[in-house]
Amino acid sequence: MSSPRRIDVYLLPALVEPAQLAGRTVVVIDVLRATTTIIHALAAGAAQVVPCLEVDEARLIAAGEMPGSAVLGGERGGLPIPGFDLGNSPRDYTSGHVGGKSVVFTTTNGTRALIHCKAARRVLVGAFVNLSAVCRELLDEPNVILLCAGTNGHVTREDALFAGAVVNELANGRQSVLNDQAEIAADAWRSCVRDLTGANPLGQALRASRGGRNLIETGQENDIDLAAQIDKFDLVPELDLARWSIGVP
């Protein structure tokens, strides 16, 4: 009989100390939109995504790449950064824009959550667009943390729902030990699945979330539907902690 799997959810990076991530596999979640966008970029053929904390840091790293081999992408306050090549909309990360290139990427919340994970054993990138692939990757992992990026220090429903979907799948059929935040996230996901109807029920839920409302207010509502495409991609980006580069192993 296998030993119980440990699954902890943290609804914000501030709720877990970096040292508590040591030796564990962490999935970073920023559904609207950083992790969704990273997955789109790598699916479109980007050579790597380099997460940065600050705008000036991103500019310096991009300038150090071979001319024409780097693309600057990201946002502040949900809006494109002046002088950057791309914002944080998944639809902009096409093969024509990023194929074969390094994406140097900084966002308000998502890249900060990635940087919080430097002590982890493995760091994976998750969103609804690769939900099943993430769950499959975690099947043999005995000690999992699902880390939600949130928005400006506030818990966001969209990240909690994805975490709950993963908990619900991983705990199904195997004894698991969950922290309270994992139980809360799984309950939220099951409630969402039960209560929502229509052609795009997940899209409805994301529109009602903090991140969804922010995108609607800034005229970027179409990105919500892209983020709600469950299992669009069969890949799991992983952060190479030694090289500090996200790629697809």
Side-chain angles (χ1 to χ4, degrees):
M1 182 176 178
S2 61
S3 59
R5 186 202 312 270
R6 177 82 199 185
I7 308 173
D8 291 329
V9 169
Y10 294 100
L11 296 173
L12 288 171
L15 297 175
V16 58
E17 292 296 326
Q20 293 176 259
L21 308 180
R24 302 184 70 179
T25 295
V26 181
V27 180
V28 173
I29 305 161
D30 187 0
V31 171
L32 296 175
R33 298 165 288 174
T35 55
T36 299
T37 298
I38 289 169
I39 296 161
H40 270 259
L42 291 166
Q48 62 176 342
V49 177
V50 181
C52 300
L53 185 62
E54 303 295 348
V55 171
D56 288 344
E57 176 194 2
R59 289 195 172 106
L60 283 172
I61 291 173
E65 296 283 331
M66 292 290 290
S69 68
V71 173
L72 275 168
E75 55 75 29
R76 283 297 182 271
L79 299 174
I81 299 167
F84 273 40
D85 303 294
L86 300 171
N88 190 26
S89 173
R91 71 176 61 251
D92 293 340
Y93 288 75
T94 63
S95 57
H97 284 137
V98 303
K101 297 183 179 181
S102 297
V103 177
V104 184
F105 193 61
T106 181
T107 68
T108 307
N109 306 290
T111 53
R112 280 168 164 72
L114 286 161
I115 289 163
H116 198 74
C117 299
K118 286 184 176 181
R121 184 177 70 86
R122 297 181 71 194
V123 179
L124 309 177
V125 174
F128 283 108
V129 293
N130 71 340
L131 171 60
S132 292
V134 168
C135 292
R136 187 172 63 246
E137 186 70 22
L138 295 174
L139 278 178
D140 296 324
E141 292 285 351
N143 208 326
V144 174
I145 287 178
L146 303 168
L147 181 65
C148 302
T151 296
N152 297 326
H154 296 281
V155 172
T156 53
R157 187 185 188 204
E158 66 271 15
D159 292 349
L161 287 176
F162 177 80
V166 175
V167 172
N168 191 61
E169 180 64 25
L170 293 182
N172 184 25
R174 177 172 171 179
Q175 186 179 0
S176 300
V177 177
L178 312 178
N179 70 347
D180 282 358
Q181 291 171 78
E183 297 276 12
I184 290 166
D187 286 346
W189 172 248
R190 288 190 286 265
S191 176
C192 175
V193 170
R194 182 179 64 248
D195 295 342
L196 289 176
T197 60
N200 184 12
L202 181 57
Q204 294 176 36
L206 297 189
R207 279 174 170 78
S209 70
R210 175 185 292 271
R213 295 193 301 272
N214 289 343
L215 289 174
I216 292 168
E217 289 170 5
T218 56
Q220 301 176 92
E221 183 175 359
N222 288 340
D223 285 352
I224 299 172
D225 292 323
L226 292 177
Q229 293 179 321
I230 295 176
D231 292 340
K232 181 176 176 64
F233 301 112
D234 187 27
L235 59 89
V236 183
E238 182 164 355
L239 176 59
D240 184 324
L241 291 157
R243 295 179 58 241
W244 200 252
S245 167
I246 302 170
V248 180

